[in-house]
């Protein structure tokens, strides 16, 4: 999904706009490399541990397979070591394997007879077994554990990648690239939107949520409609498409905690996890009532009133002149 979006983004625009995208692209690559470094390290560690395990296992398998057709001979020679010294060294290296297999290591007297200068050594079968158990204990088992731990760490980092790829911006890019449908259920509260406002809302939601967004505007809800939400939302389709809930208000309405805020708070309980309720406040009614020459201070005061009221439930209102909205941009 993300790779497809990135390739599509790279191919968009002319050669002139590519120059303007270069700094953003460089920042993206730098951010991606920094955030992905722990994931890459975990993956590389898992592969290296797995490769070491495979190499050791391959060596053991080759010895056993080759031993079916050829004879390995075991013996020793040394200028400085005595049979007693060799016996001590073998106890350190092959002692655990000897204990596990139940095959006793040769003593100093037997080791003296295994010198190549005293003969041709002996059949190496028991020595291969000791070496196989030793490699399994000190190479195969630890490397296997480390490979599994690194793989689990990589899996965890994949699921919790630090880039916010689930935020509205990235979600919209993925939906635009993959053609995923989003159904925005719009619930107007004590407000009947005009045809122009409905068309502007559709365009604004497509810019906000993705080009494949469809706005399903429901009938106007009266004050106290939060009590009707269980029955009302229970009738909505829940299969296939991605769903969003949109609360639509008019800016001319004075925000009240007992009605407007209570409605958004009740609606949030039915929102999909991680999406919340999109609160849209239409400014077109304000423009119609007070005109374009209205004092900016008065408009700012109404914006602040809505923000303060919705701040109590951690909701952020979006102020949009829906009747005047075009695909080129949004107000607020």
């Amino acid at each position: 999904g993300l790779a497809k979006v990135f390739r599509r983004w790279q191919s968009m625009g002319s050669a002139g706009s590519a120059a303007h995208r270069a700094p953003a692209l460089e920042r993206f690559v730098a951010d991606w490399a920094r955030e992905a470094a722990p994931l890459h390290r975990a993956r590389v560690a898992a592969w290296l541990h797995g490769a070491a395990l495979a190499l050791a296992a391959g060596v053991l398998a080759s010895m056993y397979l080759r031993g079916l057709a050829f004879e390995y001979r075991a013996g020793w020679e040394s200028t400085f070591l005595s049979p007693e010294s060799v016996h001590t060294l073998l106890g350190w290296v092959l002692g655990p394997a000897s204990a596990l297999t139940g095959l006793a290591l040769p003593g100093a007297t037997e080791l003296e007879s295994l010198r190549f200068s005293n003969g041709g050594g002996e059949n190496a079968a028991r020595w291969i077994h000791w070496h196989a158990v030793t490699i399994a204990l000190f190479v195969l088992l630890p490397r296997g554990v480390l490979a599994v731990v690194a793989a689990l760490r990589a899996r965890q980092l994949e699921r919790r990648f630090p880039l916010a790829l689930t935020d509205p911006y990235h979600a919209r890019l993925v939906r635009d690239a993959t053609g995923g449908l989003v159904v925005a259920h719009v619930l107007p509260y004590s407000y009947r939107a005009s045809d122009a406002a409905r068309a502007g809302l559709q365009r604004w939601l497509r810019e906000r949520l993705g080009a494949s967004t469809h706005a399903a505007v429901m009938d106007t809800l009266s004050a106290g409609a939060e009590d009707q939400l269980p029955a009302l939302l229970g009738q909505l389709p829940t299969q296939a498409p991605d769903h969003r809930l949109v609360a639509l208000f008019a800016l001319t309405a004075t925000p009240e905690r007992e009605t407007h805020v209570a409605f958004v708070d009740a609606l949030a309980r039915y929102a999909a996890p991680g999406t919340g309720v999109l609160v849209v406040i239409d400014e077109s009614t304000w423009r119609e009532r007070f005109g374009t020459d209205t004092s900016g201070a008065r408009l700012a005061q109404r914006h602040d009133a809505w923000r303060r009221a919705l701040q109590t439930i951690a909701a952020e209102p979006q102020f949009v002149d829906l009747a005047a909205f075009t695909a080129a941009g949004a107000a607020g």
Side-chain angles (χ1 to χ4, degrees):
L2 183 61
K4 183 178 179 181
V5 172
F6 184 61
R7 287 194 298 270
R8 179 177 177 180
W9 178 79
Q10 279 188 308
S11 65
M12 293 174 60
S14 61
S17 63
H20 298 286
R21 291 200 309 267
L25 179 60
E26 291 175 0
R27 288 196 301 272
F28 173 83
V29 172
D31 291 344
W32 184 273
R34 182 182 64 255
E35 301 295 349
L39 174 58
H40 293 328
R41 285 196 295 267
R43 286 174 172 172
V44 169
W47 278 104
L48 290 178
H49 290 310
L53 187 153
L55 177 62
V59 171
L60 291 180
S62 68
M63 285 195 303
Y64 278 102
L65 290 175
R66 193 171 187 276
L68 295 176
F70 300 92
E71 182 186 23
Y72 286 103
R73 303 291 296 177
W76 69 283
E77 285 289 356
S78 176
T79 301
F80 302 103
L81 297 179
S82 65
E84 290 76 11
S85 299
V86 173
H87 177 71
T88 301
L89 289 175
L90 289 177
W92 291 345
V93 177
L94 300 180
S98 174
L100 287 175
T101 60
L103 299 175
L105 293 172
T109 303
E110 187 176 359
L111 286 173
E112 178 63 32
S113 67
L114 292 178
R115 282 180 178 270
F116 284 119
S117 58
N118 293 333
E122 69 171 2
N123 182 281
R126 60 174 179 169
W127 297 92
I128 292 177
H129 296 326
W130 285 327
H131 280 84
V133 173
T134 300
I135 291 175
L137 286 175
F138 297 104
V139 178
L140 299 183
L141 183 59
R143 291 289 185 174
V145 172
L146 291 173
V148 170
V149 170
L152 292 176
R153 173 63 176 163
R155 188 69 174 273
Q156 182 184 36
L157 290 172
E158 288 174 358
R159 294 177 175 176
R160 300 180 180 179
F161 199 77
L163 291 181
L165 301 180
T166 57
D167 63 13
Y169 172 74
H170 290 99
R172 188 191 69 186
L173 290 180
V174 172
R175 282 192 293 264
D176 287 348
T178 59
L181 176 64
V182 180
V183 176
H185 295 289
V186 182
L187 293 86
Y189 188 85
S190 295
Y191 169 52
R192 187 176 300 278
S194 65
D195 292 341
R198 287 177 177 241
L201 178 63
Q202 175 71 76
R203 290 192 295 268
W204 185 83
L205 287 173
R206 285 179 176 174
E207 183 171 297
R208 171 88 180 188
L209 304 177
S212 58
T213 300
H214 170 69
V217 182
M218 306 179 70
D219 293 335
T220 300
L221 302 174
S222 58
E226 56 272 14
D227 297 332
Q228 307 170 22
L229 288 179
L232 185 65
L233 297 179
Q235 302 173 4
L236 300 179
T238 57
Q239 63 271 22
D242 184 14
H243 291 264
R244 291 297 302 270
L245 294 178
V246 181
L248 179 61
F249 301 102
L251 186 62
T252 50
T254 302
E256 299 178 351
R257 293 187 179 182
E258 296 77 9
T259 54
H260 302 89
V261 177
F263 176 73
V264 176
D265 190 33
L267 190 61
R269 302 169 193 169
Y270 300 91
T275 61
V277 176
L278 186 58
V279 181
V280 180
I281 302 178
D282 184 14
E283 293 183 341
S284 61
T285 54
W286 179 276
R287 306 293 182 186
E288 292 172 1
R289 178 176 298 182
F290 300 107
T292 56
D293 296 330
T294 302
S295 169
R298 187 175 183 181
L299 181 63
Q301 289 175 356
R302 182 55 59 92
H303 283 186
D304 290 340
W306 275 99
R307 288 195 181 99
R308 288 195 303 270
L310 292 171
Q311 188 177 17
T312 60
I313 57 172
E316 179 65 27
Q318 304 296 318
F319 300 100
V320 189
D321 187 346
L322 294 178
F325 184 80
T326 64

